[in-house]
Amino acid sequence: MWEQVQETVAYIKQQISVTPKTGVILGSGLGGFTQDLQILHSIPYSDIPHFPVVTVEGHQGELVFGTIGTQVVVAMKGRFHFYEGYSMQEVTFPVRVMKYLGVETLVVSNASGGVNASYKVGSIVLITDHINMMPEHPLRGKNDLRFGPRFLNMSQPYSARLIEKAHEIAAQKGITLQEGVYMGLQGPTFETLSEYRMVKILGADCVGMSTVPEVIVARHMDMEVFGISVITDMGDEENIDDVNHEEVLKAAQQAEPVVRGLIRELILQL
């Protein structure tokens, strides 16, 4: 993988003229963030050596470089998922590439199902921790010390500093934020009612099919991570029949302007 990462980084550096310090992974229905960038370069995933191709509706496939104020950002407009048939190494490959392009801070966003009774559809949740329930691990196999340590301390995967800063920004802008623990499951099926109950019993507040692998790999390479989730459905008897991908995208898109504004301001203050 080391050689593939270096080949990909070398290709991308030939196409761009900037060094991004912040990386952003955009979840379902949240791809409009790139409209907040002064775009400098945009590279289709299909043109990038060793990059997978996005197969999910709501996820476009471009690596976008731009600026917010004086901050240089690279944004993944569309992410990869384990349920698409990719290995965990393929799912997280772009995060490793970001690191060697110069990224020090990774912002991850997603859409998730809520089980915390204080949430509602459209709630914006700062991820404080996660529970990895996916059947594969992105660090399984021989460890390359050039990327990071064999045994990784995951006691604080999400930056307390950035969570505090996000709350300060939200207070100034009158944005209501929640906090919560995110559980990562394989998908692609939405959870059954019993599975939603399991999520709650095990200590999570929301559940989705992404994010956890990318965060593990980002922390493996000592990147600071900020995670944010939009609650697009509630896992209870009253709402379960309404859960489908179209409704998830619709709910995420309605919350998108607020999420975009929060992320934009956070990046400006890095």
Side-chain angles (χ1 to χ4, degrees):
M1 184 186 295
W2 176 265
E3 287 75 18
Q4 289 188 346
V5 169
Q6 302 313 313
E7 288 172 10
T8 302
V9 169
Y11 170 83
I12 292 172
K13 284 186 173 180
Q14 290 175 350
Q15 315 299 315
I16 65 175
S17 58
V18 292
T19 300
K21 294 299 181 183
T22 303
V24 181
I25 300 178
L26 303 170
S28 297
L30 298 170
F33 169 78
T34 54
Q35 297 173 25
D36 298 329
L37 296 176
Q38 183 68 40
I39 295 177
L40 303 173
H41 308 277
S42 183
I43 310 174
Y45 291 164
S46 56
D47 291 351
I48 303 175
H50 309 300
F51 250 58
V53 178
V54 172
T55 67
V56 182
E57 183 183 351
H59 289 261
Q60 299 177 17
E62 291 181 307
L63 202 60
V64 180
F65 295 82
T67 57
I68 293 178
T70 60
Q71 302 289 336
V72 181
V73 177
V74 54
M76 284 184 66
K77 198 171 182 181
R79 60 147 49 96
F80 310 112
H81 304 81
F82 186 62
Y83 65 71
E84 293 176 79
Y86 295 119
S87 70
M88 282 298 189
Q89 287 71 32
E90 290 173 314
V91 167
T92 56
F93 184 81
V95 179
R96 297 211 182 274
V97 170
M98 283 185 180
K99 171 69 175 182
Y100 288 95
L101 288 172
V103 170
E104 298 171 355
T105 303
L106 181 68
V107 176
V108 291
S109 67
N110 63 52
S112 66
V115 298
N116 186 319
S118 68
Y119 296 173
K120 61 182 179 180
V121 172
S123 289
I124 299 169
V125 179
L126 303 185
I127 303 174
T128 57
D129 204 349
H130 69 231
I131 299 173
N132 183 13
M133 294 293 284
M134 293 190 175
E136 178 61 282
H137 198 286
L139 303 187
R140 188 178 75 86
K142 184 178 180 180
N143 185 64
D144 191 329
L145 286 172
R146 290 173 292 186
F147 286 130
R150 166 76 287 181
F151 300 106
L152 175 63
N153 185 332
M154 288 292 291
S155 60
Q156 193 180 86
Y158 301 89
S159 169
R161 180 183 78 89
L162 296 181
I163 290 171
E164 181 180 0
K165 191 175 288 291
H167 277 299
E168 293 172 358
I169 294 167
Q172 294 166 2
K173 292 183 172 293
I175 299 171
T176 300
L177 295 179
Q178 302 271 12
E179 289 190 359
V181 176
Y182 175 91
M183 180 181 287
L185 295 178
Q186 174 180 307
T189 51
F190 291 107
E191 290 70 33
T192 67
L193 280 170
S194 294
E195 287 167 342
Y196 275 122
R197 285 193 288 268
M198 175 197 73
V199 170
K200 189 173 184 178
I201 289 168
L202 291 179
D205 299 289
C206 55
V207 58
M209 310 170 193
S210 65
T211 301
V212 171
E214 295 110 313
V215 172
I216 291 171
V217 166
R219 294 301 301 136
H220 188 231
M221 298 184 297
D222 200 29
M223 299 164 76
E224 189 173 22
V225 176
F226 175 78
I228 189 166
S229 184
V230 176
I231 302 301
T232 52
D233 63 274
M234 291 299 296
D236 55 43
E237 287 86 349
E238 187 176 332
N239 299 285
I240 197 73
D241 290 339
D242 296 330
V243 180
N244 58 65
H245 191 58
E246 290 72 25
E247 290 300 316
V248 165
L249 291 178
K250 182 179 177 181
Q253 287 163 356
Q254 288 175 345
E256 183 191 52
V258 178
V259 175
R260 280 169 51 182
L262 184 65
I263 293 175
R264 181 181 185 279
E265 191 61 34
L266 183 68
I267 290 172
L268 282 171
Q269 295 188 28
L270 288 176

